[in-house]
Amino acid sequence: MTNNKVVLNWLNEMAEMTKPEKIVWIDGSEEQLEKLRAEAVATGELIKLNQEKLPGCYYHRTAENDVARVEDRTFICTPTKEEAGPINNWMDPAEMYAKLKKLYTGSMMGRTMYVIPYSMGPVGSPFSKIGIELTDSIYVVLNMAIMTRIGKAVIDSLGDNTDFVKCLHAKKDVDPEERYIVQFPQDSTIWSINSAYGGNVLLGKKCFALRIASYLGMKEGWMAEHMLILGLENPKGEVKYICAAFPSACGKTNLAMLIPPEYLKKKGYKVWTVGDDIAWLRIGPDGRLYAINPEAGFFGVAPGTSEKTNFNALAATKKNTIFTNVAINNDDNTVWWEGLDKNPPENCTEWTGKQVNGKTFDGKLAHPNSRFTAPAINCPCISSEFENPQGVPISAIVFGGRRAKTAPLVYQARDWEHGVFVGATMASETTAAAAGAVGVVRRDPMAMKPFVGYNMADYFAHWIEMGKKLDPEKAPKIFHVNWFRQDDEGNFMWPGFGDNMRVLLWILDRCENRAGAVDSAIGYLPEDGAVDTTDLDLNPDVLKELLSVDKDIWMEDVVNQKEYFAQFGDRLPKEIAKQLEILENNLK
Ligand code: OXD
Ligand code: MN
C-alpha cells in the first residue's frame, strides 16, 4: 500500500514485538469490509441483526469488565511530570515504554494485525491529520471505518510525509489489571492494551482527536475541543454556527441534533448537525474562528435515545450501524435499550449475553453505557457543510454543565478572557438519587478534564493566546448554559430538549447585538422578555428563578474554584487569577 519508509519501519518494529501471524492492510473498500464482517460473524465476534429492519447492522458484546473509558488507567507520558500537569496520570516515557513492551511482546501470536490508515477530518483538508492504527480486532477495524475516513485514499494522501500519529492496539486478555491507555504526545504515539471498548481502542477519537490533538494544537496554534458543532438556520435561510462543550452525559448529542419546538419550526427555523463530540478549530485568514468535526460517525450512548428525545440520532442508527452492549430482542433479532420505548422485549438477550424473560429480569437489559456506532451521513439533519474542508465559521462558543442551583439557564461572558474563565470554571454535579439532593461537584474545565493532553494550566494559557490572535470584532462570543437547574423539590425547571433552541436564539441574537441583556456579578443575563417563551407552558416566576444568581451559593463555588486552581500553582495564567478576583469582588 505504501513505500513510506517511516511507516514501514514502524510497522516492522511493532510486528516484531507483537508477532502477529498475518498483517492485513485495510484499503477501505466495501468488499474487504464485508469479508471482515462475515469473518467476525463466523467467530461470534459480531452478531448479524435483522437485515430487513436494520440493514447493514451488527451487534457486539464486550467483556463485562470492559464497558467504559478507564480514566485511572489513562496516562499522558510527557518527558516531565510538569508537562502533563496535576490532573493527568503520568509516568516517565522510557519507563512506560519498557513496561508496555513486556505486555505487547507476542500479544498478537496466532492473530492478524490490521493496519488502518485513517484521516481525522476530510482527506486533504488543511484541518485534517492522519493516523495509522495497528490492531488485532476486527471490531476496531469496522468501527474505525464508520468513525473516521480510512483506507487507500488516506495512505496516498500521506505519501512520503512522516507526519502521522502512530497508534497501536492489542486486545490481549482484556485484563483490567494490565489495561493501559497511553499517550506519548511528543512522539505522536498512542498505545492501548487489554481493552476492546470503544473509547479505549478507537484511537482516532479521544486519544488522538482530543489528547494528542490538543497538544499539537498548542504547538501549532489551533485547538482540539470536546465540543459539538451545530448550524442554526433562520427563516431567511442564513445559517450561523455554534460550538458547545459539555461534560460527558450532559446531552451533547441531543443538542447537536435538536428539533426546534413546533412554533419555531413553523416560522422556518432549522438545526443542522456538523458534529456531536469533537471540534477542531483554526483561525481563518479573515480572523474568524472556523471548525471542523474530525470524525465521520457518532459513537453515541444508546439508553435514553428515543424518537421523542432524539429522533435524528435514532434515525441515524437504522442502517450500517454497530451496536455494542445493548439488549437483543430475540423475537425479531433487533435491538432494545432502556428509554427506547416502554416495552422491554419479553424474549430477550441482555447485554451480558444472559437469556432473560422480561417478567423476571432484575437489572438493566442494556448496559447504561451501551453504544451505537452510526455513520454521520445517516443523520437526517446532517449539515451540508459536514464535508467542507475549510470548516464552518463559529459565531458562539457555549459551555455548560449540570448544576442544580448555581448556574442560571444562560449567561454571556463579558469578553474572550472572561469567557475562558467561564470555561475553566465549568463543573457538573453527579445526580443524586434522592429528590432535591445536590450531588458532588466535579470540576471539568471546557469538558476536557479526561482529554487534555498536557498541563491544564498551559491549556488555559493557550485559550487566552488564541483569543489575542482572533479579530476582536469577529471572535466568537462565549456563553454558559445550564439545562439542569432544579427547584427545591428537585424537579427540573427548564423543559430542555427542543426548547433549548429558545436559548440558542438569544445567544445568536446577542452575537448580532440584537437581544437585550443586563449586567450581573457573573456576566450578562437575558433581560426581561429576551428569551422567547411563546407557546411554552412556563410560569414567568419560574423563568425569573431560572435566570437568578444566588450570591451565597456562588461564593461557595468561588471557594471551590480557588481550591481547584491552587493545584496549578504558578503555572495558572494571571488572567484566570484576575478573573477569579473580579468574580469574588462582584459577589461581595
Ligand atoms: C464520550 C465521552 O464517549 O465523552 O463521548 O465519554
Ligand atoms: Mn465525548
Side-chain angles (χ1 to χ4, degrees):
M1 282 262 280
T2 182
N3 295 318
N4 185 317
K5 287 217 174 62
V6 175
V7 172
L8 295 175
N9 287 343
W10 167 67
L11 176 56
N12 282 341
E13 197 189 322
M14 296 301 104
E16 263 164 34
M17 176 169 70
T18 54
K19 301 195 170 46
E21 189 178 299
K22 260 197 324 194
I23 297 179
V24 172
W25 277 84
I26 298 300
D27 61 19
S29 67
E30 184 48 33
E31 194 188 340
Q32 185 187 39
L33 294 174
E34 191 55 28
K35 256 195 214 145
L36 291 173
R37 290 179 197 116
E39 190 181 326
V41 169
T43 60
E45 188 176 352
L46 288 183
I47 293 171
K48 198 171 194 165
L49 293 165
N50 183 325
Q51 294 297 297
E52 260 156 50
K53 293 189 175 168
L54 297 168
C57 292
Y58 291 81
Y59 179 89
H60 175 78
R61 177 176 290 132
T62 65
E64 282 183 47
N65 70 31
D66 188 27
V67 293
R69 285 187 292 102
V70 280
E71 288 178 24
D72 58 326
R73 319 262 346 153
T74 300
F75 287 77
I76 302 294
C77 293
T78 43
T80 63
K81 183 166 171 37
E82 287 64 42
E83 286 162 277
I87 63 163
N88 280 317
N89 298 316
W90 176 85
M91 198 188 281
D92 174 69
E95 206 179 310
M96 182 60 95
Y97 276 126
K99 186 184 185 70
L100 294 183
K101 273 178 186 164
K102 276 194 205 136
L103 296 178
Y104 278 110
T105 297
S107 61
M108 295 192 190
M109 259 195 284
R111 302 172 64 82
T112 302
M113 174 193 271
Y114 300 96
V115 184
I116 318 168
Y118 67 94
S119 175
M120 297 314 292
V123 179
S125 151
F127 283 77
S128 297
K129 295 264 175 199
I130 288 174
I132 302 179
E133 177 161 353
L134 312 178
T135 177
D136 56 355
S137 156
I138 295 182
Y139 172 74
V140 169
V141 174
L142 297 174
N143 274 275
M144 288 295 283
I146 297 171
M147 293 305 297
T148 72
R149 286 95 172 161
I150 60 162
K152 183 150 187 339
V154 177
I155 199 77
D156 287 352
S157 99
L158 182 67
D160 289 335
N161 199 328
T162 56
D163 183 14
F164 68 100
V165 177
K166 305 179 199 77
C167 310
L168 175 65
H169 164 245
K171 193 170 163 184
K172 205 165 158 81
D173 317 309
V174 208
D175 175 0
E177 304 294 325
E178 299 280 16
R179 185 168 295 156
Y180 288 93
I181 318 300
V182 183
Q183 285 70 204
F184 301 92
Q186 278 80 356
D187 301 345
S188 280
T189 294
I190 303 162
W191 281 13
S192 158
I193 191 158
N194 271 312
S195 174
Y197 167 78
N200 300 327
V201 298
L202 308 179
L203 300 184
K205 195 175 176 66
K206 305 296 191 184
C207 302
F208 178 173
L210 288 176
R211 296 193 191 104
I212 295 287
S214 63
Y215 172 81
L216 294 175
M218 183 262 290
K219 290 276 167 199
E220 299 168 2
W222 54 284
M223 297 156 85
E225 298 299 329
H226 192 198
M227 289 177 172
L228 65 89
I229 312 165
L230 66 80
L232 207 153
E233 181 175 332
N234 71 16
K236 285 189 250 166
E238 297 159 344
V239 186
K240 295 275 186 304
Y241 295 91
I242 296 175
C243 280
F246 298 88
S248 307
C250 283
K252 277 214 322 285
T253 305
N254 288 349
L255 186 64
M257 300 179 192
L258 172 152
I259 294 179
E262 215 41 53
Y263 148 73
L264 291 169
K265 224 188 330 190
K266 274 201 199 116
K267 279 184 149 181
Y269 284 99
K270 290 179 190 136
V271 168
W272 301 107
T273 308
V274 182
D276 79 325
D277 196 37
I278 298 175
W280 282 2
L281 301 136
R282 282 180 187 269
I283 300 172
D286 58 357
R288 294 181 78 177
L289 195 63
Y290 286 80
I292 65 156
N293 169 12
E295 301 191 280
F298 306 121
F299 184 63
V301 176
T305 307
S306 70
E307 279 200 16
K308 260 207 173 126
T309 60
N310 196 336
F311 174 89
N312 290 312
L314 192 63
T317 67
K318 295 297 179 190
K319 61 180 183 196
N320 303 331
T321 292
I322 300 172
F323 296 93
T324 304
N325 293 344
V326 301
I328 297 184
N329 181 345
N330 294 336
D331 287 335
D332 63 354
N333 194 26
T334 56
V335 287
W336 192 85
W337 50 77
E338 280 69 22
L340 175 64
D341 54 42
K342 294 209 174 83
N343 313 306
E346 284 207 5
N347 181 14
C348 168
T349 306
E350 70 166 59
W351 75 272
T352 55
K354 232 177 14 214
Q355 302 295 317
V356 287
N357 172 326
K359 300 230 163 54
T360 60
F361 103 94
D362 57 359
K364 298 262 191 256
L365 293 178
H367 188 276
N369 191 35
S370 55
R371 299 279 175 150
F372 53 78
T373 316
I377 49 165
N378 282 1
C379 181
C381 61
I382 195 72
S383 165
S384 58
E385 301 301 297
F386 173 66
E387 294 282 353
N388 186 336
Q390 305 306 326
V392 294
I394 299 304
S395 299
I397 290 174
V398 178
F399 295 118
R402 197 181 264 276
R403 305 301 302 263
K405 291 284 176 209
T406 319
L409 177 62
V410 60
Y411 66 101
Q412 182 186 355
R414 294 186 191 92
D415 52 31
W416 182 272
E417 197 177 290
H418 181 218
V420 175
F421 174 75
V422 169
T425 51
M426 255 174 74
S428 241
E429 284 147 20
T430 50
T431 39
V438 174
V440 183
V441 179
R442 169 178 142 128
R443 301 232 83 97
D444 190 353
M446 284 84 170
M448 285 289 277
K449 178 187 183 298
F451 306 121
V452 67
Y454 58 106
N455 192 316
M456 183 68 90
D458 299 349
Y459 167 83
F460 296 151
H462 180 50
W463 261 85
I464 289 165
E465 280 313 303
M466 287 293 289
K468 290 181 189 157
K469 290 184 199 151
L470 285 159
D471 180 333
E473 294 296 311
K474 299 175 187 164
K477 305 275 188 287
I478 301 179
F479 299 81
H480 187 282
V481 300
N482 177 23
W483 315 134
F484 302 97
R485 188 117 164 199
Q486 292 175 24
D487 63 18
D488 291 338
E489 277 77 52
N491 305 306
F492 289 116
M493 296 165 77
W494 177 249
F497 297 103
D499 287 309
N500 292 338
M501 173 91 170
R502 300 168 188 273
V503 174
L504 298 185
L505 287 179
W506 179 76
I507 285 174
L508 285 181
D509 277 349
R510 286 297 297 164
C511 293
E512 318 226 310
N513 301 317
R514 278 200 305 255
V518 286
D519 202 359
S520 81
I522 62 168
Y524 301 127
L525 292 161
E527 68 178 18
D528 246 3
V531 174
D532 185 351
T533 54
T534 309
D535 276 1
L536 190 62
D537 184 17
L538 188 76
N539 186 317
D541 288 342
V542 174
L543 185 62
K544 224 176 231 153
E545 179 72 26
L546 273 164
L547 293 172
S548 66
V549 174
D550 182 323
K551 289 195 174 176
D552 293 336
I553 294 178
W554 271 87
M555 260 318 199
E556 279 171 37
D557 207 57
V558 164
V559 172
N560 189 279
Q561 293 174 14
K562 264 191 199 163
E563 274 169 25
Y564 185 78
F565 287 138
Q567 68 186 314
F568 300 110
D570 292 346
R571 234 165 152 130
L572 187 77
K574 60 179 186 331
E575 291 87 348
I576 298 286
K578 187 183 89 192
Q579 290 292 336
L580 182 59
E581 212 181 295
I582 294 173
L583 175 61
E584 193 172 13
N585 285 334
N586 286 351
L587 289 167
K588 270 180 195 155

